[in-house]
Amino acid sequence: MKGITPAIRGTAVAVLLAVMAGCASLSSPPLDDRAIRLQAERTAEAAAALAAMERIDAVITIDSPLLGSAISDWLERVLPGELSAPARVHFHDQLIWFTAGEWNGEILLGFEDDAITWQADVRAPAGAVLEHGSGNRMAFDLAPLGILEAGARFSGAFEGVADRSLPLTAWPVMRAGALLVQPDNTRLALDLAFLAGVRRCEGAGAQEGLLLVYDFVDGNPTGVRRLDAGAAMAPPATRKGQQPWTGYFVDAGRECLVRVVREQPPRVVPATTGSVAFTDYEQAFGAATAGLVDPGHDDAPVSMVMARSALATALRTALVDQSIAVSLQPRGDGSSRFSAAMQAPSADELSCASSECTTQQQCTVSHENCPLLRDTRQCTVCSLRNPLNNRCLAEEQDTECLQARDRRNERMAQERQACIAVEEEARDACLVVRDQALLQCRTQRQQRLDQCQAAVERVAALRPSAPGGRVDMAIRPSGALDVRFSGFSVDASLQQLRMAVDVAGNLELAGEMAFTPSGDLAGALPCTARWKGDFTTFADLATWDGALVSPLEFEGGRLVARWSGLARPVPLSPSPIRALFRVQPGLLAGCQAGMNAAWVERALSGEQAGVFQGRHELVTQPLPTRVSLLPGWVTLMGETLVAEPVMGEASVRFDYVTGKD
């Protein structure tokens, strides 16, 4: 029922109180012996329940006449037949008795996780059976949690705001309780636990096989089971003996409560029945609930005082594993601008060194293209053969063959000499060209050295305090920052909140840079007036996390934590200066003064000079983290009472009086 518009107005309480006068009796009739025995039993039972409680997290105080009115209204709807007299409820010390014509009996109050219930133990007419029906409960919101809001503002080259909220839910688990019944009011002391992220299901039920069972044995959590399709809703096998068991069956997909199954132990009347005086129990109850009960603050018909430690437990439970993740995109309305001053540079850092002139050109003659070729043909012929077998008997040299061979060999020798002459001529021409190139290189080198030295002398002539001008830069980021808020936790007294902030991302920074040299520097180095252009650099934010702690303050129904800012170094690679000169290397070379990008970086000064040099900071300013508490509510007799939380030093109080639109 969180977030609903309450049904009653400012006059609703007055109407309810008017009804009370007719339905609940403040002047109760005397008790008979049977009722006195019941009163003693209930006092002993309540004393035993109080003594067994490990702690008391909250106390609910209900105006007894108001509760009696609700019970009377229910009785008149469920009692059969027409009553000869209206139903009336009488509150005695630790005993609630009702009469309704010929009907009478005891009203037994019980606990559910989010409600007080009642049933009638009919004593007359004898043997009568009563169908209890519905409407016998008074529902409470014992975990009035709202939403968690967290975020951060980033400044620097990457500016923006990341914030988000998420609902907080926790289901209250009634571990134990004790009642104090008095004629004027009824008090309930509660020992609570909470299930994280669980709410009551709305709409269709869970699918078979998708239920998780959260077991509580004897009021203590014992674990979580998966309920297979068709399995019985039985206690866990680890339970010993007849320990009371409660099972919370949660839809695993929707994370909502489908049903609660309770196995109540049989009522056992303590052996000390009758030995505990009501006044003693009343004093014990008061001592146990000290700090959560203020007898002088019972003006509201219904109130609840919850220990801050219990609210902290509910909040810690709801915050378990909660995180808020935001991907922050760069803003589209412009860029971040930076400027730095240029100081008069020092000539001591300039160097006019120049490499020696060398040549790789080779001017040699290898004669590989002019081979010495020879005609080696054979000129021998047979002058006499044996007629019987055609064998040569005598040989002689062919004169014509010999003359042809000699003429060819002479021609090939002449061709080789001509080839060698061509190669030697090419070599001589190569040597001339090489010597000319070396001479030109040495001349130009000397000119560069002279020009560089002149530039160095002009720089050296500048006054040391002379301004060098300024440089301006605009950076437009692209990419995304992934921001995650997690690790939320509060201390037991709701005094502090812890939170972790994780930031990661890869950013590309496109920029424009322009130098505006002073008159002195422009005169010494005219090239500096041409130093301008576009560049691109990168910022790599490796995952970074920071744990924060802040005091909690209660403001307007919200717990608020305010944080200090965090500055994280973010290197830019390459630095914007180096990125500019890397894209346009001629900007530096044109100065002819032997300078480099590092020399320019060292000449910058001012608060923002580090950005130009590649040293940047991402400033993270967490926004106030807020945990809202919703108005608490109570439903009774078809009406809804609401109460704004009022935070005290040790508790938070809800006085359920009027509704609000």
Side-chain angles (χ1 to χ4, degrees):
M1 297 183 64
K2 295 179 181 178
I4 65 171
T5 301
I8 68 171
R9 307 287 185 227
T11 58
V13 175
V15 173
L16 289 175
L17 293 177
V19 174
M20 287 167 13
C23 299
S25 175
L26 293 174
S27 56
S28 302
L31 300 176
D32 58 18
D33 292 342
R34 180 184 60 177
I36 292 175
R37 289 195 299 272
L38 288 175
Q39 185 182 38
E41 290 179 9
R42 301 297 174 258
T43 302
E45 291 172 357
L50 180 66
M53 294 181 68
E54 296 181 6
R55 65 176 186 271
I56 296 178
D57 294 316
V59 174
I60 297 175
T61 302
I62 309 170
D63 192 273
S64 290
L66 176 61
L67 180 59
S69 298
I71 298 173
S72 298
D73 179 74
W74 171 75
L75 285 169
E76 292 182 353
R77 286 188 287 106
V78 299
L79 289 174
E82 187 171 347
L83 301 178
S84 60
R88 296 189 179 277
V89 179
H90 310 281
F91 287 80
H92 303 275
D93 292 340
Q94 217 56 30
L95 181 67
I96 306 175
W97 194 263
F98 79 90
T99 59
E102 69 277 16
W103 294 80
N104 66 73
E106 183 185 7
I107 297 295
L108 300 174
L109 297 182
F111 303 101
E112 291 183 1
D113 292 326
D114 60 344
I116 301 167
T117 62
W118 53 83
Q119 58 183 359
D121 186 4
V122 178
R123 300 304 176 97
V129 178
L130 180 63
E131 294 292 337
H132 286 85
S134 61
N136 59 330
R137 67 196 311 269
M138 180 178 186
F140 284 87
D141 183 7
L142 296 179
L145 304 179
I147 61 174
L148 170 68
E149 302 171 80
R153 183 185 304 277
F154 298 91
S155 60
F158 195 96
E159 296 188 1
V161 176
D163 63 334
R164 190 163 293 177
S165 62
L166 55 84
L168 297 176
T169 55
W171 183 263
V173 175
M174 186 81 67
R175 298 180 66 244
L179 279 167
L180 176 64
V181 178
Q182 297 172 303
D184 54 347
N185 57 55
T186 299
R187 301 189 194 274
L188 300 88
L190 308 177
D191 181 353
L192 301 173
F194 299 90
L195 293 179
V198 176
R199 66 190 189 286
R200 189 176 292 279
C201 287
E202 298 179 2
Q207 300 179 21
E208 289 295 328
L210 296 177
L211 289 179
L212 297 177
V213 186
Y214 292 79
D215 292 310
F216 280 76
V217 175
D218 203 15
N220 297 307
T222 60
V224 183
R225 293 178 289 153
R226 182 184 179 90
L227 185 67
D228 296 327
M233 297 183 181
T238 55
R239 185 182 64 155
K240 298 179 181 179
Q242 295 298 315
Q243 292 176 301
W245 165 72
T246 302
Y248 295 85
F249 293 80
V250 174
D251 184 326
R254 294 184 292 164
E255 295 186 345
C256 60
L257 187 65
V258 176
R259 63 182 61 87
V260 180
V261 177
R262 289 183 174 84
E263 188 181 70
Q264 299 288 356
R267 176 183 294 273
V268 178
V269 179
T272 56
T273 296
S275 63
V276 179
F278 176 78
T279 54
D280 294 337
Y281 171 63
E282 185 180 29
Q283 292 178 359
F285 189 96
T289 60
L292 298 179
V293 173
D294 182 4
H297 202 105
D298 288 337
D299 297 335
V302 183
S303 65
M304 178 179 70
V305 180
M306 178 178 288
R308 287 180 70 128
S309 59
L311 182 59
T313 300
L315 191 54
R316 278 199 302 271
T317 301
L319 290 173
V320 168
D321 297 329
Q322 294 283 12
S323 63
I324 296 178
V326 181
S327 182
L328 180 61
Q329 302 296 327
R331 65 182 189 181
D333 58 349
S335 56
S336 300
R337 299 186 177 275
F338 303 88
S339 63
M342 275 194 75
Q343 301 299 317
S346 172
D348 297 337
E349 300 181 16
L350 298 179
S351 173
C352 291
S354 180
S355 59
E356 293 293 334
C357 291
T358 60
T359 179
Q360 301 297 324
Q361 188 174 5
Q362 299 297 320
C363 299
T364 60
V365 175
S366 63
H367 302 330
E368 292 180 357
N369 297 323
C370 303
L372 178 60
L373 303 176
R374 301 293 292 173
D375 187 348
T376 59
R377 78 180 82 172
Q378 293 295 322
C379 292
T380 302
V381 297
C382 181
S383 60
L384 178 65
R385 293 184 181 275
N386 186 340
L388 295 177
N389 55 15
N390 202 33
R391 289 184 179 179
C392 185
L393 298 177
E395 294 179 347
E396 62 182 14
Q397 296 292 325
D398 186 347
T399 303
E400 292 182 0
C401 174
L402 291 172
Q403 292 174 353
R405 185 178 66 181
D406 292 341
R407 287 194 299 269
R408 187 179 182 195
N409 284 333
E410 183 179 357
R411 186 176 65 253
M412 289 191 296
Q414 292 173 354
E415 290 175 351
R416 181 174 184 270
Q417 290 300 322
C419 177
I420 292 175
V422 171
E423 284 192 343
E424 290 177 347
E425 183 179 351
R427 178 199 60 192
D428 295 341
C430 173
L431 290 172
V432 171
V433 172
R434 187 178 69 177
D435 292 342
Q436 290 176 346
L438 285 173
L439 178 60
Q440 183 180 8
C441 174
R442 293 188 181 104
T443 301
Q444 292 175 347
R445 176 177 178 272
Q446 188 59 47
Q447 290 175 349
R448 290 194 299 270
L449 289 174
D450 293 342
Q451 291 171 350
C452 177
Q453 190 60 40
V456 172
E457 291 175 357
R458 291 195 301 269
V459 172
L462 294 176
R463 293 178 293 107
S465 60
R470 58 178 291 162
V471 56
D472 298 286
M473 175 175 64
I475 292 179
R476 297 177 300 278
S478 61
L481 280 179
D482 296 321
V483 188
R484 182 172 177 266
F485 306 96
S486 61
F488 299 101
S489 178
V490 296
D491 66 333
S493 59
L494 284 181
Q495 299 291 337
Q496 287 185 336
L497 175 68
R498 294 180 178 271
M499 178 181 72
V501 181
D502 303 339
V503 182
N506 292 313
L507 307 178
E508 178 179 306
L509 305 175
E512 301 171 353
M513 190 183 304
F515 285 78
T516 305
S518 65
D520 292 338
L521 183 59
L525 296 172
C527 60
T528 55
R530 298 188 294 274
W531 287 357
K532 62 182 63 177
D534 301 335
F535 65 90
T536 301
T537 185
F538 300 90
D540 184 7
L541 284 78
T543 300
W544 168 82
D545 58 79
L548 308 176
V549 180
S550 172
L552 273 175
E553 299 178 1
F554 189 72
E555 301 175 358
R558 295 186 295 186
L559 294 166
V560 182
R562 292 180 170 82
W563 316 94
S564 301
L566 304 172
R568 178 193 175 187
V570 179
L572 304 180
S573 180
S575 71
I577 291 290
R578 295 173 187 263
L580 174 65
F581 293 130
R582 182 176 297 179
V583 174
Q584 302 185 63
L587 295 179
L588 286 176
C591 291
Q592 299 178 341
M595 63 181 60
N596 54 31
W599 182 83
V600 179
E601 288 179 344
R602 289 192 292 270
L604 301 181
S605 63
E607 293 183 358
Q608 297 179 334
V611 182
F612 293 84
Q613 298 160 351
R615 295 180 286 106
H616 187 42
E617 282 187 343
L618 178 67
V619 179
T620 304
Q621 175 58 62
L623 301 176
T625 300
R626 298 180 175 89
V627 177
S628 63
L629 302 180
L630 296 178
W633 52 262
V634 175
T635 58
L636 181 67
M637 298 168 56
E639 303 288 352
T640 300
L641 299 175
V642 297
E644 295 290 341
V646 178
M647 189 69 68
E649 291 185 3
S651 62
V652 56
R653 184 180 185 91
F654 297 86
D655 288 329
Y656 306 92
V657 179
T658 61
K660 295 183 179 180
D661 288 325

